[in-house]
Amino acid sequence: MMGLFGTTKAGKGSVDEVAEMIETYFRKRELNPANQQLPGAEGYGWWLTEGSAKVYVFVQETPTGAVLRITSPIVYVPEHNREAFYRKLLDINANLSSCALSTHDDIVLVVVQRPALALDQEELDTLVWNIAFVADLLDNQLANEFSARIYTD
């Protein structure tokens, strides 16, 4: 969608509009969006692999509107030296842009979540690329430094 003077028109943020942007992203990467869909996600969840990282892309309806969530599990929290490990995660977080590190159970994730309102194709493409890049960079770094197991599903 083109806006005034060739600018990209921001989306209204519906779930279906964001799903179409995600499918456009996959087609630009020469991937078939249907092959990247997650089973059980009812057409609103996809995956891709970038280097050693697996990235999951979801669009969800919430009471306040559609939300885009991109996440990549990278490593398991190590058994030993947990305090230093968590300190390292906090230090890394201080320097990340457009994403953050979080944990779910004993899994470390690279995540970004934002309302879909005013999301455009360029921003979506950038967010997916950024999560993939950071996850691919950090999984091996954290595994090597802390003997953390790299996430596998």
Side-chain angles (χ1 to χ4, degrees):
M1 296 181 277
M2 295 303 286
L4 189 61
F5 304 116
T7 59
T8 304
K9 186 175 179 184
K12 294 178 183 168
S14 74
V15 168
D16 290 331
E17 186 179 48
V18 177
E20 180 57 38
M21 281 191 253
I22 293 166
E23 291 178 357
T24 296
Y25 170 82
F26 282 113
R27 285 191 292 273
K28 284 197 281 187
R29 299 265 326 258
E30 298 182 4
L31 297 169
N32 182 339
N35 294 340
Q36 304 306 125
Q37 284 192 352
L38 291 168
E42 299 174 6
Y44 297 105
W46 300 261
W47 66 274
L48 71 138
T49 302
E50 194 67 53
S52 58
K54 192 159 187 180
V55 178
Y56 299 92
V57 182
F58 301 96
V59 58
Q60 304 164 314
E61 189 64 59
T62 71
T64 58
V67 171
L68 172 69
R69 180 171 177 84
I70 307 168
T71 185
S72 181
I74 56 174
V75 293
Y76 293 94
V77 175
E79 296 289 323
H80 305 288
N81 208 10
R82 286 178 166 228
E83 184 177 338
F85 181 78
Y86 282 117
R87 173 63 186 254
K88 180 72 171 192
L89 297 183
L90 287 171
D91 291 344
I92 291 169
N93 256 345
N95 293 305
L96 292 176
S97 180
S98 299
C99 66
L101 295 174
S102 69
T103 59
H104 176 75
D105 295 329
D106 272 348
I107 301 167
V108 177
L109 308 162
V110 182
V111 299
V112 65
Q113 182 169 306
R114 77 170 305 285
L117 187 62
L119 179 70
D120 64 24
Q121 188 70 53
E122 183 179 357
E123 183 181 2
L124 180 127
D125 295 355
T126 300
L127 290 172
V128 174
W129 177 87
N130 189 54
I131 291 291
F133 175 79
V134 171
D136 189 39
L137 179 73
L138 291 180
D139 59 359
N140 292 318
Q141 178 186 333
L142 292 170
N144 292 337
E145 187 172 342
F146 292 95
S147 299
R149 287 183 302 128
I150 291 181
Y151 176 82
T152 56
D153 56 356

mmCIF file of all heavy atoms in Angstrom, residues 39 47 58 66 76 79 89 95 106 120 125 146 149 153:
data_model
loop_
_atom_site.group_PDB
_atom_site.id
_atom_site.type_symbol
_atom_site.label_atom_id
_atom_site.label_comp_id
_atom_site.label_asym_id
_atom_site.label_seq_id
_atom_site.Cartn_x
_atom_site.Cartn_y
_atom_site.Cartn_z
ATOM 1 N N PRO A 39 1.307 -26.335 12.811
ATOM 2 C CA PRO A 39 0.097 -27.140 13.028
ATOM 3 C C PRO A 39 -0.631 -26.647 14.285
ATOM 4 O O PRO A 39 -0.004 -26.331 15.290
ATOM 5 C CB PRO A 39 0.640 -28.556 13.232
ATOM 6 C CG PRO A 39 2.024 -28.540 12.664
ATOM 7 C CD PRO A 39 2.520 -27.137 12.805
ATOM 8 N N TRP A 47 6.705 -20.596 11.151
ATOM 9 C CA TRP A 47 8.067 -20.822 11.623
ATOM 10 C C TRP A 47 9.033 -20.665 10.461
ATOM 11 O O TRP A 47 8.659 -20.771 9.297
ATOM 12 C CB TRP A 47 8.206 -22.219 12.234
ATOM 13 C CG TRP A 47 8.038 -23.297 11.199
ATOM 14 C CD1 TRP A 47 6.869 -23.858 10.763
ATOM 15 C CD2 TRP A 47 9.074 -23.906 10.428
ATOM 16 N NE1 TRP A 47 7.116 -24.779 9.775
ATOM 17 C CE2 TRP A 47 8.474 -24.832 9.544
ATOM 18 C CE3 TRP A 47 10.463 -23.760 10.393
ATOM 19 C CZ2 TRP A 47 9.199 -25.607 8.660
ATOM 20 C CZ3 TRP A 47 11.182 -24.536 9.499
ATOM 21 C CH2 TRP A 47 10.544 -25.449 8.659
ATOM 22 N N PHE A 58 3.758 -15.204 15.238
ATOM 23 C CA PHE A 58 2.339 -15.357 15.555
ATOM 24 C C PHE A 58 1.631 -14.026 15.415
ATOM 25 O O PHE A 58 2.204 -12.976 15.709
ATOM 26 C CB PHE A 58 2.146 -15.818 17.010
ATOM 27 C CG PHE A 58 2.805 -17.117 17.337
ATOM 28 C CD1 PHE A 58 4.065 -17.150 17.923
ATOM 29 C CD2 PHE A 58 2.165 -18.316 17.070
ATOM 30 C CE1 PHE A 58 4.675 -18.350 18.234
ATOM 31 C CE2 PHE A 58 2.777 -19.522 17.375
ATOM 32 C CZ PHE A 58 4.033 -19.545 17.958
ATOM 33 N N ALA A 66 -5.260 -6.698 17.367
ATOM 34 C CA ALA A 66 -4.289 -7.710 16.944
ATOM 35 C C ALA A 66 -2.897 -7.387 17.482
ATOM 36 O O ALA A 66 -2.515 -6.219 17.602
ATOM 37 C CB ALA A 66 -4.252 -7.795 15.422
ATOM 38 N N TYR A 76 18.700 -23.532 26.803
ATOM 39 C CA TYR A 76 18.128 -23.848 28.105
ATOM 40 C C TYR A 76 18.980 -23.163 29.176
ATOM 41 O O TYR A 76 20.203 -23.063 29.031
ATOM 42 C CB TYR A 76 18.136 -25.360 28.345
ATOM 43 C CG TYR A 76 17.205 -26.106 27.416
ATOM 44 C CD1 TYR A 76 17.678 -26.642 26.223
ATOM 45 C CD2 TYR A 76 15.867 -26.264 27.736
ATOM 46 C CE1 TYR A 76 16.827 -27.320 25.366
ATOM 47 C CE2 TYR A 76 15.005 -26.941 26.879
ATOM 48 C CZ TYR A 76 15.500 -27.459 25.698
ATOM 49 O OH TYR A 76 14.658 -28.127 24.845
ATOM 50 N N GLU A 79 22.412 -25.571 34.295
ATOM 51 C CA GLU A 79 22.253 -26.111 35.650
ATOM 52 C C GLU A 79 23.118 -25.359 36.663
ATOM 53 O O GLU A 79 22.720 -25.188 37.811
ATOM 54 C CB GLU A 79 22.638 -27.603 35.665
ATOM 55 C CG GLU A 79 21.737 -28.476 34.823
ATOM 56 C CD GLU A 79 20.355 -28.631 35.431
ATOM 57 O OE1 GLU A 79 20.259 -28.723 36.674
ATOM 58 O OE2 GLU A 79 19.387 -28.633 34.658
ATOM 59 N N LEU A 89 22.380 -12.245 30.686
ATOM 60 C CA LEU A 89 21.167 -11.956 29.931
ATOM 61 C C LEU A 89 20.732 -10.502 30.127
ATOM 62 O O LEU A 89 20.358 -9.827 29.165
ATOM 63 C CB LEU A 89 20.027 -12.894 30.333
ATOM 64 C CG LEU A 89 20.212 -14.392 30.064
ATOM 65 C CD1 LEU A 89 18.949 -15.152 30.462
ATOM 66 C CD2 LEU A 89 20.586 -14.679 28.631
ATOM 67 N N ASN A 95 21.671 -3.809 25.613
ATOM 68 C CA ASN A 95 22.196 -3.380 24.317
ATOM 69 C C ASN A 95 21.386 -3.865 23.122
ATOM 70 O O ASN A 95 21.778 -3.634 21.978
ATOM 71 C CB ASN A 95 23.650 -3.852 24.171
ATOM 72 C CG ASN A 95 24.558 -3.157 25.155
ATOM 73 O OD1 ASN A 95 24.606 -1.938 25.212
ATOM 74 N ND2 ASN A 95 25.242 -3.938 25.974
ATOM 75 N N ASP A 106 12.489 -23.124 31.603
ATOM 76 C CA ASP A 106 13.954 -23.062 31.606
ATOM 77 C C ASP A 106 14.516 -22.803 30.210
ATOM 78 O O ASP A 106 15.635 -23.203 29.899
ATOM 79 C CB ASP A 106 14.550 -24.360 32.177
ATOM 80 C CG ASP A 106 14.696 -24.308 33.689
ATOM 81 O OD1 ASP A 106 14.559 -23.213 34.265
ATOM 82 O OD2 ASP A 106 14.952 -25.361 34.300
ATOM 83 N N ASP A 120 3.648 -1.876 9.184
ATOM 84 C CA ASP A 120 3.746 -1.978 7.730
ATOM 85 C C ASP A 120 4.687 -3.122 7.366
ATOM 86 O O ASP A 120 5.346 -3.701 8.229
ATOM 87 C CB ASP A 120 4.155 -0.648 7.080
ATOM 88 C CG ASP A 120 5.546 -0.175 7.460
ATOM 89 O OD1 ASP A 120 6.406 -1.006 7.836
ATOM 90 O OD2 ASP A 120 5.796 1.035 7.380
ATOM 91 N N ASP A 125 9.129 -7.087 8.211
ATOM 92 C CA ASP A 125 10.322 -7.751 7.662
ATOM 93 C C ASP A 125 11.532 -7.521 8.560
ATOM 94 O O ASP A 125 12.309 -8.441 8.829
ATOM 95 C CB ASP A 125 10.620 -7.236 6.253
ATOM 96 C CG ASP A 125 9.545 -7.582 5.237
ATOM 97 O OD1 ASP A 125 8.587 -8.314 5.567
ATOM 98 O OD2 ASP A 125 9.654 -7.087 4.093
ATOM 99 N N PHE A 146 28.520 -20.597 28.860
ATOM 100 C CA PHE A 146 27.918 -21.123 30.086
ATOM 101 C C PHE A 146 27.596 -22.613 30.025
ATOM 102 O O PHE A 146 26.900 -23.124 30.908
ATOM 103 C CB PHE A 146 26.636 -20.335 30.411
ATOM 104 C CG PHE A 146 26.907 -18.921 30.806
ATOM 105 C CD1 PHE A 146 26.844 -17.907 29.866
ATOM 106 C CD2 PHE A 146 27.253 -18.601 32.109
ATOM 107 C CE1 PHE A 146 27.103 -16.593 30.215
ATOM 108 C CE2 PHE A 146 27.512 -17.293 32.478
ATOM 109 C CZ PHE A 146 27.440 -16.282 31.530
ATOM 110 N N ARG A 149 22.715 -25.808 27.033
ATOM 111 C CA ARG A 149 22.295 -26.625 25.895
ATOM 112 C C ARG A 149 21.521 -25.764 24.914
ATOM 113 O O ARG A 149 20.629 -25.006 25.296
ATOM 114 C CB ARG A 149 21.389 -27.773 26.347
ATOM 115 C CG ARG A 149 22.111 -28.878 27.065
ATOM 116 C CD ARG A 149 21.173 -30.029 27.429
ATOM 117 N NE ARG A 149 20.063 -29.559 28.263
ATOM 118 C CZ ARG A 149 18.766 -29.785 27.998
ATOM 119 N NH1 ARG A 149 18.406 -30.452 26.939
ATOM 120 N NH2 ARG A 149 17.835 -29.327 28.801
ATOM 121 N N ASP A 153 13.646 -28.577 19.399
ATOM 122 C CA ASP A 153 12.231 -28.924 19.655
ATOM 123 C C ASP A 153 11.932 -30.330 19.256
ATOM 124 O O ASP A 153 12.708 -31.071 18.791
ATOM 125 C CB ASP A 153 11.291 -27.973 18.949
ATOM 126 C CG ASP A 153 11.515 -27.870 17.435
ATOM 127 O OD1 ASP A 153 12.460 -28.495 16.918
ATOM 128 O OD2 ASP A 153 10.740 -27.164 16.796
#
